[in-house]
Amino acid sequence: MNLLITRHDKIGDFVVTLPLFKAIKEQYPNTKITALVSKINFDFAKEIEFIDDVILFDKDNLKKTLVEIKEKNFDASISAYIDTALGKLLFKSGIKIRVAPATKIAQIFFTKRITQRRSKVEKTEWEYNLDLAKAIFPNIRLEFSRPLLITDSSFQATKKRVILHPGFGGSSDGNLSLDDYIKLARKAIETSYKVVFTFGPDDKSSKEYISSRLNLNEKQKIELFDSKMSLYEFTKYIASSELFISTSTGPMHLAGATNTKTISFFGDSLFASSKRWATISEEKKQNNFMLASDYSKDDYRKIENCLMDLLNA
């Protein structure tokens, strides 16, 4: 089968779709799988061994994207997330079997609409995505080998590095304050671990704030790291570390995909909770906390205690 799988939104949303790719490739190895992804995930998707080909969802030139899809002569498509632009694109492409969740008005453009009721949060997002495989492969086992991503790290592997990633890109409901991230970093340097703050391209103000609050001695022990490398290289950097601390956004899911230990913060609503957005890692690797915007000192202390228990284990 020549199969197109689409997920054309953010980093974390794409990562939680990867179990769908991997389960199909592992159980039906003769299936050629192409990913249709947004620009931010395009180069990253090319590095993943169980994805055979990648097409850019070019929102500024969908005619070009349509031509490329048509040239591939796909037998079927599976879409983990849909909107009207994608629906029209796949409808015009002539793919005969088009699978999607039965959500939004865009579902009218698909031939197989799967009722999932994701708003009930009866399972994680990646499990909902994986379920879509049954529409084409009814006998598929909803399982895959872990870690999801295996990276040959170009970084010196160290189980003595703790990463704190305070940014959220506007996509997460629950997070610690920058001051509390600094408190965690100060506790971590009391151990033998190297402590690193990582920052994405939109985190300049957070980096400046944290830098201004650290004294000279702390700056010698706490590294401030701009992750200007590719998404795949950043994934390898995370994987070569012991622990990744962040809110529930894309980098957290990159950590989970490599089975790296995490301390993660989620919004206090069911939709934003770890019940839906937990990482793909083994549960024993996850330390998940739901945080209200006005979380308490007790909430922070639980997180700090968790950190120290992990580092002193």
Side-chain angles (χ1 to χ4, degrees):
M1 177 175 286
N2 188 13
L3 177 65
L4 177 68
I5 299 179
T6 80
R7 186 81 199 217
H8 63 297
D9 41 359
K10 296 180 180 180
I11 296 169
D13 301 300
F14 175 61
V15 174
V16 296
T17 307
L18 291 177
L20 171 64
F21 288 82
K22 194 169 190 181
I24 293 172
K25 178 58 74 171
E26 287 184 334
Q27 296 175 51
Y28 301 88
N30 292 329
T31 300
K32 180 179 180 181
I33 303 178
T34 298
L36 177 68
V37 299
S38 60
K39 183 178 180 180
I40 195 170
N41 291 313
F42 183 72
D43 291 333
F44 177 57
K46 285 184 172 182
E47 297 284 353
I48 299 173
E49 62 180 358
F50 48 86
I51 296 177
D52 299 302
D53 198 4
V54 184
I55 298 174
L56 173 64
F57 181 87
D58 189 345
K59 61 182 181 180
D60 297 318
N61 192 351
L62 287 177
K63 288 183 179 180
K64 179 182 177 182
T65 303
L66 178 60
V67 169
E68 192 168 356
I69 292 173
K70 284 183 173 181
E71 287 176 347
K72 304 291 185 180
N73 294 313
F74 292 109
D75 299 307
S77 68
I78 302 176
S79 299
Y81 166 80
I82 62 173
D83 56 25
T84 302
L86 176 74
K88 288 181 178 179
L89 183 72
L90 297 181
F91 177 78
K92 291 177 181 177
S93 73
I95 300 173
K96 292 183 178 179
I97 302 172
R98 302 183 301 280
V99 178
T103 58
K104 306 178 182 178
I105 193 171
Q107 67 178 284
I108 65 174
F109 296 106
F110 295 85
T111 62
K112 289 191 175 184
R113 297 175 286 274
I114 311 303
T115 300
Q116 292 192 309
R117 311 290 187 206
R118 295 191 184 200
S119 62
K120 292 185 176 180
V121 192
E122 295 174 336
K123 57 186 72 177
T124 61
E125 184 75 359
W126 66 261
E127 288 172 315
Y128 279 119
N129 292 331
L130 188 52
D131 283 344
L132 296 172
K134 281 192 168 292
I136 294 177
F137 305 96
N139 296 320
I140 194 171
R141 301 182 308 280
L142 300 180
E143 59 189 47
F144 54 93
S145 61
R146 285 185 172 88
L148 180 72
L149 298 180
I150 300 174
T151 60
D152 295 322
S153 182
S154 55
F155 299 98
Q156 182 178 1
T158 173
K159 292 304 178 184
K160 289 294 182 180
R161 183 194 296 127
V162 176
I163 298 176
L164 299 97
H165 188 84
F168 63 95
S171 63
S172 175
D173 293 332
N175 202 4
L176 284 183
S177 69
L178 293 180
D179 288 320
D180 281 342
Y181 270 105
I182 293 169
K183 287 181 185 178
L184 287 182
R186 285 172 174 155
K187 290 298 293 185
I189 61 175
E190 294 175 6
T191 70
S192 58
Y193 285 82
K194 178 178 176 61
V195 178
V196 180
F197 275 104
T198 58
F199 303 93
D202 299 324
D203 298 332
K204 182 179 178 181
S205 62
S206 296
K207 181 183 177 183
E208 290 174 349
Y209 181 90
I210 290 171
S211 179
S212 71
R213 296 305 191 273
L214 299 178
N215 62 42
L216 186 60
N217 181 52
E218 289 169 339
K219 287 181 178 180
Q220 293 175 342
K221 298 179 179 180
I222 299 173
E223 181 182 354
L224 304 185
F225 180 79
D226 281 315
S227 51
K228 295 179 180 178
M229 61 189 68
S230 72
L231 204 54
Y232 190 70
E233 286 294 307
F234 186 48
T235 304
K236 293 197 289 185
Y237 182 72
I238 292 171
S240 67
S241 304
E242 171 70 15
L243 177 65
F244 189 81
I245 305 171
S246 74
T247 188
S248 55
T249 189
M252 178 199 75
H253 287 293
L254 295 176
T258 61
N259 215 31
T260 302
K261 288 180 186 175
T262 53
I263 294 178
S264 305
F265 314 124
F266 297 82
D268 63 346
S269 67
L270 182 61
F271 179 81
S273 70
S274 60
K275 189 174 181 182
R276 180 168 186 185
W277 293 105
T279 62
I280 303 165
S281 54
E282 299 171 86
E283 287 189 16
K284 66 182 181 180
K285 300 277 189 175
Q286 301 176 32
N287 299 275
N288 299 328
F289 295 87
M290 291 180 67
L291 293 177
S293 58
D294 58 346
Y295 67 89
S296 67
K297 291 181 180 179
D298 284 341
D299 292 325
Y300 169 77
R301 277 194 290 270
K302 289 176 183 177
I303 294 166
E304 184 181 283
N305 290 339
C306 175
L307 169 67
M308 300 311 289
D309 287 345
L310 290 172
L311 298 189
N312 291 321

PDB file of all heavy atoms in Angstrom, residues 66-89:
ATOM      1  N   LEU A  66      -0.788  20.170  -3.765  1.00  0.00           N
ATOM      2  CA  LEU A  66      -1.739  19.286  -4.443  1.00  0.00           C
ATOM      3  C   LEU A  66      -1.072  18.544  -5.582  1.00  0.00           C
ATOM      4  O   LEU A  66      -1.275  17.328  -5.750  1.00  0.00           O
ATOM      5  CB  LEU A  66      -2.925  20.103  -4.957  1.00  0.00           C
ATOM      6  CG  LEU A  66      -3.992  19.323  -5.742  1.00  0.00           C
ATOM      7  CD1 LEU A  66      -4.598  18.219  -4.879  1.00  0.00           C
ATOM      8  CD2 LEU A  66      -5.080  20.282  -6.248  1.00  0.00           C
ATOM      9  N   VAL A  67      -0.279  19.231  -6.375  1.00  0.00           N
ATOM     10  CA  VAL A  67       0.433  18.591  -7.488  1.00  0.00           C
ATOM     11  C   VAL A  67       1.329  17.474  -6.972  1.00  0.00           C
ATOM     12  O   VAL A  67       1.368  16.368  -7.535  1.00  0.00           O
ATOM     13  CB  VAL A  67       1.260  19.627  -8.278  1.00  0.00           C
ATOM     14  CG1 VAL A  67       2.211  18.937  -9.258  1.00  0.00           C
ATOM     15  CG2 VAL A  67       0.347  20.588  -9.029  1.00  0.00           C
ATOM     16  N   GLU A  68       2.037  17.742  -5.884  1.00  0.00           N
ATOM     17  CA  GLU A  68       2.948  16.740  -5.339  1.00  0.00           C
ATOM     18  C   GLU A  68       2.185  15.530  -4.807  1.00  0.00           C
ATOM     19  O   GLU A  68       2.619  14.381  -4.997  1.00  0.00           O
ATOM     20  CB  GLU A  68       3.795  17.361  -4.222  1.00  0.00           C
ATOM     21  CG  GLU A  68       4.948  16.491  -3.798  1.00  0.00           C
ATOM     22  CD  GLU A  68       5.965  17.198  -2.918  1.00  0.00           C
ATOM     23  OE1 GLU A  68       5.814  18.416  -2.697  1.00  0.00           O
ATOM     24  OE2 GLU A  68       6.901  16.523  -2.447  1.00  0.00           O
ATOM     25  N   ILE A  69       1.061  15.753  -4.169  1.00  0.00           N
ATOM     26  CA  ILE A  69       0.257  14.633  -3.675  1.00  0.00           C
ATOM     27  C   ILE A  69      -0.248  13.786  -4.837  1.00  0.00           C
ATOM     28  O   ILE A  69      -0.184  12.552  -4.811  1.00  0.00           O
ATOM     29  CB  ILE A  69      -0.924  15.146  -2.821  1.00  0.00           C
ATOM     30  CG1 ILE A  69      -0.399  15.775  -1.520  1.00  0.00           C
ATOM     31  CG2 ILE A  69      -1.885  14.005  -2.491  1.00  0.00           C
ATOM     32  CD1 ILE A  69      -1.475  16.453  -0.694  1.00  0.00           C
ATOM     33  N   LYS A  70      -0.746  14.437  -5.864  1.00  0.00           N
ATOM     34  CA  LYS A  70      -1.264  13.710  -7.028  1.00  0.00           C
ATOM     35  C   LYS A  70      -0.182  12.860  -7.689  1.00  0.00           C
ATOM     36  O   LYS A  70      -0.439  11.735  -8.138  1.00  0.00           O
ATOM     37  CB  LYS A  70      -1.859  14.680  -8.043  1.00  0.00           C
ATOM     38  CG  LYS A  70      -3.217  15.240  -7.661  1.00  0.00           C
ATOM     39  CD  LYS A  70      -3.757  16.136  -8.777  1.00  0.00           C
ATOM     40  CE  LYS A  70      -5.185  16.583  -8.512  1.00  0.00           C
ATOM     41  NZ  LYS A  70      -5.723  17.423  -9.603  1.00  0.00           N
ATOM     42  N   GLU A  71       1.036  13.389  -7.751  1.00  0.00           N
ATOM     43  CA  GLU A  71       2.142  12.671  -8.392  1.00  0.00           C
ATOM     44  C   GLU A  71       2.473  11.366  -7.682  1.00  0.00           C
ATOM     45  O   GLU A  71       2.993  10.437  -8.297  1.00  0.00           O
ATOM     46  CB  GLU A  71       3.390  13.563  -8.423  1.00  0.00           C
ATOM     47  CG  GLU A  71       3.312  14.701  -9.433  1.00  0.00           C
ATOM     48  CD  GLU A  71       4.525  15.618  -9.349  1.00  0.00           C
ATOM     49  OE1 GLU A  71       5.289  15.505  -8.356  1.00  0.00           O
ATOM     50  OE2 GLU A  71       4.694  16.451 -10.261  1.00  0.00           O
ATOM     51  N   LYS A  72       2.159  11.275  -6.392  1.00  0.00           N
ATOM     52  CA  LYS A  72       2.532  10.092  -5.602  1.00  0.00           C
ATOM     53  C   LYS A  72       1.547   8.932  -5.761  1.00  0.00           C
ATOM     54  O   LYS A  72       1.843   7.804  -5.350  1.00  0.00           O
ATOM     55  CB  LYS A  72       2.639  10.468  -4.119  1.00  0.00           C
ATOM     56  CG  LYS A  72       3.608  11.609  -3.819  1.00  0.00           C
ATOM     57  CD  LYS A  72       5.044  11.233  -4.042  1.00  0.00           C
ATOM     58  CE  LYS A  72       5.984  12.361  -3.624  1.00  0.00           C
ATOM     59  NZ  LYS A  72       7.393  12.038  -3.825  1.00  0.00           N
ATOM     60  N   ASN A  73       0.348   9.205  -6.285  1.00  0.00           N
ATOM     61  CA  ASN A  73      -0.657   8.145  -6.523  1.00  0.00           C
ATOM     62  C   ASN A  73      -0.937   7.312  -5.269  1.00  0.00           C
ATOM     63  O   ASN A  73      -0.790   6.085  -5.259  1.00  0.00           O
ATOM     64  CB  ASN A  73      -0.204   7.221  -7.665  1.00  0.00           C
ATOM     65  CG  ASN A  73      -0.143   7.940  -8.996  1.00  0.00           C
ATOM     66  OD1 ASN A  73      -1.074   8.664  -9.359  1.00  0.00           O
ATOM     67  ND2 ASN A  73       0.947   7.766  -9.714  1.00  0.00           N
ATOM     68  N   PHE A  74      -1.364   7.977  -4.215  1.00  0.00           N
ATOM     69  CA  PHE A  74      -1.618   7.270  -2.961  1.00  0.00           C
ATOM     70  C   PHE A  74      -2.870   6.406  -3.048  1.00  0.00           C
ATOM     71  O   PHE A  74      -3.860   6.772  -3.685  1.00  0.00           O
ATOM     72  CB  PHE A  74      -1.783   8.280  -1.814  1.00  0.00           C
ATOM     73  CG  PHE A  74      -0.516   9.015  -1.482  1.00  0.00           C
ATOM     74  CD1 PHE A  74      -0.379  10.365  -1.794  1.00  0.00           C
ATOM     75  CD2 PHE A  74       0.542   8.355  -0.868  1.00  0.00           C
ATOM     76  CE1 PHE A  74       0.782  11.048  -1.487  1.00  0.00           C
ATOM     77  CE2 PHE A  74       1.716   9.034  -0.558  1.00  0.00           C
ATOM     78  CZ  PHE A  74       1.842  10.375  -0.880  1.00  0.00           C
ATOM     79  N   ASP A  75      -2.817   5.262  -2.359  1.00  0.00           N
ATOM     80  CA  ASP A  75      -3.980   4.381  -2.275  1.00  0.00           C
ATOM     81  C   ASP A  75      -4.951   4.863  -1.195  1.00  0.00           C
ATOM     82  O   ASP A  75      -6.163   4.651  -1.306  1.00  0.00           O
ATOM     83  CB  ASP A  75      -3.534   2.953  -1.926  1.00  0.00           C
ATOM     84  CG  ASP A  75      -2.610   2.370  -2.981  1.00  0.00           C
ATOM     85  OD1 ASP A  75      -2.985   2.385  -4.166  1.00  0.00           O
ATOM     86  OD2 ASP A  75      -1.511   1.919  -2.610  1.00  0.00           O
ATOM     87  N   ALA A  76      -4.399   5.468  -0.140  1.00  0.00           N
ATOM     88  CA  ALA A  76      -5.233   5.883   0.993  1.00  0.00           C
ATOM     89  C   ALA A  76      -4.520   6.966   1.781  1.00  0.00           C
ATOM     90  O   ALA A  76      -3.300   7.152   1.661  1.00  0.00           O
ATOM     91  CB  ALA A  76      -5.532   4.684   1.892  1.00  0.00           C
ATOM     92  N   SER A  77      -5.287   7.663   2.582  1.00  0.00           N
ATOM     93  CA  SER A  77      -4.705   8.650   3.498  1.00  0.00           C
ATOM     94  C   SER A  77      -5.354   8.505   4.870  1.00  0.00           C
ATOM     95  O   SER A  77      -6.510   8.094   4.986  1.00  0.00           O
ATOM     96  CB  SER A  77      -4.899  10.078   2.977  1.00  0.00           C
ATOM     97  OG  SER A  77      -6.265  10.449   2.993  1.00  0.00           O
ATOM     98  N   ILE A  78      -4.590   8.838   5.911  1.00  0.00           N
ATOM     99  CA  ILE A  78      -5.089   8.910   7.278  1.00  0.00           C
ATOM    100  C   ILE A  78      -4.726  10.285   7.807  1.00  0.00           C
ATOM    101  O   ILE A  78      -3.554  10.676   7.786  1.00  0.00           O
ATOM    102  CB  ILE A  78      -4.486   7.834   8.192  1.00  0.00           C
ATOM    103  CG1 ILE A  78      -4.773   6.426   7.654  1.00  0.00           C
ATOM    104  CG2 ILE A  78      -5.019   7.967   9.613  1.00  0.00           C
ATOM    105  CD1 ILE A  78      -4.107   5.312   8.460  1.00  0.00           C
ATOM    106  N   SER A  79      -5.715  11.018   8.301  1.00  0.00           N
ATOM    107  CA  SER A  79      -5.480  12.356   8.828  1.00  0.00           C
ATOM    108  C   SER A  79      -5.816  12.379  10.309  1.00  0.00           C
ATOM    109  O   SER A  79      -6.953  12.121  10.695  1.00  0.00           O
ATOM    110  CB  SER A  79      -6.325  13.391   8.078  1.00  0.00           C
ATOM    111  OG  SER A  79      -5.979  13.412   6.697  1.00  0.00           O
ATOM    112  N   ALA A  80      -4.817  12.687  11.131  1.00  0.00           N
ATOM    113  CA  ALA A  80      -5.028  12.711  12.571  1.00  0.00           C
ATOM    114  C   ALA A  80      -5.663  14.012  13.038  1.00  0.00           C
ATOM    115  O   ALA A  80      -6.278  14.065  14.095  1.00  0.00           O
ATOM    116  CB  ALA A  80      -3.703  12.487  13.292  1.00  0.00           C
ATOM    117  N   TYR A  81      -5.500  15.050  12.244  1.00  0.00           N
ATOM    118  CA  TYR A  81      -6.084  16.367  12.548  1.00  0.00           C
ATOM    119  C   TYR A  81      -6.581  16.956  11.231  1.00  0.00           C
ATOM    120  O   TYR A  81      -5.883  16.871  10.208  1.00  0.00           O
ATOM    121  CB  TYR A  81      -5.029  17.280  13.179  1.00  0.00           C
ATOM    122  CG  TYR A  81      -5.429  18.740  13.210  1.00  0.00           C
ATOM    123  CD1 TYR A  81      -6.284  19.223  14.195  1.00  0.00           C
ATOM    124  CD2 TYR A  81      -4.949  19.642  12.254  1.00  0.00           C
ATOM    125  CE1 TYR A  81      -6.650  20.567  14.224  1.00  0.00           C
ATOM    126  CE2 TYR A  81      -5.311  20.986  12.275  1.00  0.00           C
ATOM    127  CZ  TYR A  81      -6.165  21.436  13.263  1.00  0.00           C
ATOM    128  OH  TYR A  81      -6.534  22.757  13.279  1.00  0.00           O
ATOM    129  N   ILE A  82      -7.782  17.527  11.244  1.00  0.00           N
ATOM    130  CA  ILE A  82      -8.327  18.028   9.985  1.00  0.00           C
ATOM    131  C   ILE A  82      -8.820  19.465  10.125  1.00  0.00           C
ATOM    132  O   ILE A  82      -9.205  19.912  11.200  1.00  0.00           O
ATOM    133  CB  ILE A  82      -9.484  17.139   9.460  1.00  0.00           C
ATOM    134  CG1 ILE A  82     -10.659  17.123  10.445  1.00  0.00           C
ATOM    135  CG2 ILE A  82      -8.978  15.731   9.172  1.00  0.00           C
ATOM    136  CD1 ILE A  82     -11.894  16.406   9.917  1.00  0.00           C
ATOM    137  N   ASP A  83      -8.772  20.159   9.016  1.00  0.00           N
ATOM    138  CA  ASP A  83      -9.435  21.446   8.851  1.00  0.00           C
ATOM    139  C   ASP A  83      -9.902  21.524   7.406  1.00  0.00           C
ATOM    140  O   ASP A  83      -9.641  20.605   6.597  1.00  0.00           O
ATOM    141  CB  ASP A  83      -8.520  22.618   9.234  1.00  0.00           C
ATOM    142  CG  ASP A  83      -7.200  22.628   8.477  1.00  0.00           C
ATOM    143  OD1 ASP A  83      -7.136  22.073   7.361  1.00  0.00           O
ATOM    144  OD2 ASP A  83      -6.216  23.186   8.990  1.00  0.00           O
ATOM    145  N   THR A  84     -10.612  22.579   7.074  1.00  0.00           N
ATOM    146  CA  THR A  84     -11.210  22.675   5.739  1.00  0.00           C
ATOM    147  C   THR A  84     -10.153  22.702   4.639  1.00  0.00           C
ATOM    148  O   THR A  84     -10.326  22.067   3.586  1.00  0.00           O
ATOM    149  CB  THR A  84     -12.102  23.924   5.648  1.00  0.00           C
ATOM    150  OG1 THR A  84     -13.113  23.840   6.655  1.00  0.00           O
ATOM    151  CG2 THR A  84     -12.775  24.016   4.290  1.00  0.00           C
ATOM    152  N   ALA A  85      -9.043  23.407   4.880  1.00  0.00           N
ATOM    153  CA  ALA A  85      -7.989  23.486   3.863  1.00  0.00           C
ATOM    154  C   ALA A  85      -7.434  22.107   3.541  1.00  0.00           C
ATOM    155  O   ALA A  85      -7.256  21.748   2.365  1.00  0.00           O
ATOM    156  CB  ALA A  85      -6.873  24.411   4.342  1.00  0.00           C
ATOM    157  N   LEU A  86      -7.177  21.302   4.572  1.00  0.00           N
ATOM    158  CA  LEU A  86      -6.668  19.948   4.341  1.00  0.00           C
ATOM    159  C   LEU A  86      -7.726  19.091   3.668  1.00  0.00           C
ATOM    160  O   LEU A  86      -7.422  18.338   2.724  1.00  0.00           O
ATOM    161  CB  LEU A  86      -6.253  19.310   5.666  1.00  0.00           C
ATOM    162  CG  LEU A  86      -5.805  17.847   5.539  1.00  0.00           C
ATOM    163  CD1 LEU A  86      -4.425  17.758   4.903  1.00  0.00           C
ATOM    164  CD2 LEU A  86      -5.811  17.151   6.898  1.00  0.00           C
ATOM    165  N   GLY A  87      -8.972  19.187   4.143  1.00  0.00           N
ATOM    166  CA  GLY A  87     -10.043  18.380   3.569  1.00  0.00           C
ATOM    167  C   GLY A  87     -10.201  18.620   2.084  1.00  0.00           C
ATOM    168  O   GLY A  87     -10.290  17.667   1.288  1.00  0.00           O
ATOM    169  N   LYS A  88     -10.236  19.864   1.682  1.00  0.00           N
ATOM    170  CA  LYS A  88     -10.363  20.201   0.261  1.00  0.00           C
ATOM    171  C   LYS A  88      -9.165  19.683  -0.534  1.00  0.00           C
ATOM    172  O   LYS A  88      -9.316  19.168  -1.647  1.00  0.00           O
ATOM    173  CB  LYS A  88     -10.486  21.714   0.088  1.00  0.00           C
ATOM    174  CG  LYS A  88     -11.822  22.290   0.530  1.00  0.00           C
ATOM    175  CD  LYS A  88     -11.849  23.794   0.294  1.00  0.00           C
ATOM    176  CE  LYS A  88     -13.198  24.395   0.671  1.00  0.00           C
ATOM    177  NZ  LYS A  88     -13.210  25.873   0.470  1.00  0.00           N
ATOM    178  N   LEU A  89      -7.979  19.834   0.051  1.00  0.00           N
ATOM    179  CA  LEU A  89      -6.755  19.397  -0.621  1.00  0.00           C
ATOM    180  C   LEU A  89      -6.792  17.897  -0.917  1.00  0.00           C
ATOM    181  O   LEU A  89      -6.511  17.463  -2.054  1.00  0.00           O
ATOM    182  CB  LEU A  89      -5.554  19.725   0.271  1.00  0.00           C
ATOM    183  CG  LEU A  89      -4.167  19.419  -0.286  1.00  0.00           C
ATOM    184  CD1 LEU A  89      -3.803  20.403  -1.391  1.00  0.00           C
ATOM    185  CD2 LEU A  89      -3.129  19.482   0.835  1.00  0.00           C
TER     186      LEU A  89
END
